[in-house]
Amino acid sequence: QEVARDATPQAVYWKSGSVPLLDIQAEFDPYRPRETQNQLIEEFGPQRVTVVVVKGASHALPVENPKAAAEALVSFAKKLK
């Protein structure tokens, strides 16, 4: 899998598919600054991407706030058809 991934340019597969995407972001994630919040929306469109920002969390979001992470997942899943 790693060899195939490394041998395939990201542009070839990155926008494939049409399934809805959930982007759960931590408000204070040092690896995901606030100015990149809409990055996936800009790339894939607002019809496809849902962004949920968990307030007060950092990079270890599922450990820091598992309830908020789970609620985001459940809410998103309930909207899928």
Side-chain angles (χ1 to χ4, degrees), residues 9-64:
Q10 183 179 6
V12 171
Y13 65 83
W14 187 243
K15 289 191 177 186
S16 64
S18 59
V19 298
L21 302 171
L22 173 61
D23 185 7
I24 303 175
Q25 302 175 15
E27 180 181 25
F28 300 116
D29 188 338
Y31 301 100
R32 187 68 187 270
R34 290 296 73 203
E35 60 269 11
T36 67
Q37 179 174 339
N38 293 321
Q39 189 174 34
L40 290 180
I41 291 173
E42 291 165 3
E43 189 156 359
F44 297 109
Q47 311 83 350
R48 188 170 173 198
V49 178
T50 299
V51 173
V52 175
V53 178
V54 177
K55 302 289 184 197
S58 188
H59 190 65
L61 187 151
V63 176
E64 294 173 28

